[in-house]
Amino acid sequence: MDKKFALYGCGKAGLSVALALKSQGYEVVGCDSRSLNSKEMGSQWLACPMIKIPEEVKENIPIMIGVSEDAIPDVDLLIGKGEYVSGRVVFHLSGALPSRSLNRCRLSGAKVGSLHPLMILPDPLTGARNLRNATFAIEGREQAVAVLKEMALSISGKFFIIPVKGKTIYHIAAVNASNNLVALLAESMYLLEVAGVPRSETGKAFQSLVEITVKNFYSEGPVQVLTGPVERGNLKMVEAHLRTLSKLPKSKEIYRILCLRALEIAGEKHPDRKKIYDELEKLLK
Ligand SMILES: NC(=O)c1ccc[n+]([C@@H]2O[C@H](COP(=O)([O-])OP(=O)(O)OC[C@H]3O[C@@H](n4cnc5c(N)ncnc54)[C@H](OP(=O)(O)O)[C@@H]3O)[C@@H](O)[C@H]2O)c1
């Protein structure tokens, strides 16, 4: 497989991934972007010519699309026009959108895919460095997946494949693991404040607890790491928690839903506690 590609969209992600690939022996045959400024910057960072994509990209060279999600439909129309992309791999870097969002390219015969780096890419240099530790989520047509696997292997060696239909669920999972974890930690800080702990203390109060829980979660798994009133089957305590939260409906809802999820994990850990867990479930529903 030829280690070559072209880049459309010289933003933070496009340049970071392109730079990381270049450092692993890939050749960037050329770059293009909406603005001349970005195009020039791309050409300097990647030491490649400014070209017109797709017209000036030779056959069979993959095209990487590094534009923001809301621009993907426009860029899909631009790149997918005519016969230029027929038979070649065209892929984007979005975590939220499936490869099917490159519909015009697909109809023009491209093998579409997506390569989502699970990493923060704040600028090309830091981004390329961060990518050495990134895991890549890959999705798309078979030919695209083969090319994207090679790319992920050469940058960090870490990737997983998402079935084409699973991309949106994948993104929801990533939102839960990152954004919603932030929201949950903020909720804990809020409840500490409600409990009367000064705001200056709430930030660090749970830090060690959270860090050890996360570390153990990944070394031992959820079933081993789960403790607490739900896991112990302490009906009275959960009842008291729900009563206390009755004046804080949003907090009560968050607590209730998460306890129901914890109950499922607890059920795996202690099948012998089914009776008390069934009662807990009734209470929480
Ligand atoms: N940055 C990250 O940490 C990160 C990590 C993983 C994945 N991603 C994904 O990478 C993609 C790009 O994100 P980014 O952070 O690199 O954004 P960015 O730095 O803002 O770059 C956005 C790019 O989109 C182009 N663009 C915007 N609107 C356009 C339009 N209407 N038509 C054509 N091109 C347009 C811009 O072109 P011009 O500069 O020429 O105007 C620019 O190249 C997103 O899908 C994002 O989810 C980002």
Side-chain angles (χ1 to χ4, degrees), residues 12-74:
K12 296 183 282 294
L15 287 181
S16 298
V17 176
L19 209 56
L21 286 170
K22 193 173 157 69
S23 75
Q24 296 308 314
Y26 276 79
E27 182 192 340
V28 192
V29 299
C31 67
D32 194 359
S33 208
R34 176 181 53 172
S35 71
L36 181 61
N37 199 21
S38 293
K39 204 165 158 164
E40 283 173 350
M41 203 163 73
S43 164
Q44 280 168 24
W45 272 105
L46 303 170
C48 71
M50 292 190 275
I51 57 170
K52 200 157 169 45
I53 295 177
E55 292 85 335
E56 292 174 23
V57 188
K58 285 201 193 100
E59 269 173 44
N60 288 331
I61 291 176
I63 298 175
M64 182 199 300
I65 298 176
V67 306
S68 34
E69 272 87 8
D70 53 2
I72 285 180
D74 286 350

